Amino acid sequence: MHNATDNLNVANIDDSIKMLTQYANEPCLDPLISILEALKQDIDNESLLAQLIDTWRNLGIYQGTVLTYLPYFYTLIPDDIFGDKE
């Protein structure tokens, strides 16, 4: 298990938002983008990180869309990215 906040930085978050809005313009990704926007403003907020993880795990098939445009996204989720070990 790694500390996901070690991989969070404003530049990566900003790039992630740009890539998702430009190339994966799906309404179901709006909650993920909103959380990324909030994390950009408060990068150390553990509550927002928990929301990011929960939102990610509820994306279903759209996880593939996110990983297509943001292959490093898995580094933002601690331990088990797909929640298989819960």
Side-chain angles (χ1 to χ4, degrees):
M1 183 169 164
H2 70 278
N3 185 354
T5 58
D6 291 344
N7 297 312
L8 288 175
N9 65 59
V10 173
N12 274 352
I13 293 172
D14 197 44
D15 288 344
S16 298
I17 293 166
K18 287 177 185 174
M19 293 293 287
L20 288 175
T21 55
Q22 184 174 358
Y23 297 110
N25 191 14
E26 297 287 339
C28 66
L29 297 179
D30 290 346
L32 183 70
I33 293 168
S34 294
I35 293 168
L36 289 170
E37 288 280 1
L39 272 170
K40 191 168 81 168
Q41 302 302 315
D42 188 5
I43 204 159
D44 295 317
N45 188 319
E46 290 187 25
S47 174
L48 288 173
L49 183 57
Q51 289 177 37
L52 177 70
I53 293 166
D54 185 55
T55 301
W56 162 258
R57 291 201 172 134
N58 288 306
L59 281 179
I61 63 169
Y62 288 99
Q63 286 177 336
T65 302
V66 172
L67 291 175
T68 296
Y69 297 106
L70 306 173
Y72 60 85
F73 189 83
Y74 74 92
T75 66
L76 303 179
I77 305 296
D79 197 24
D80 181 21
I81 187 170
F82 296 109
D84 295 332
K85 296 178 185 172
E86 293 185 284

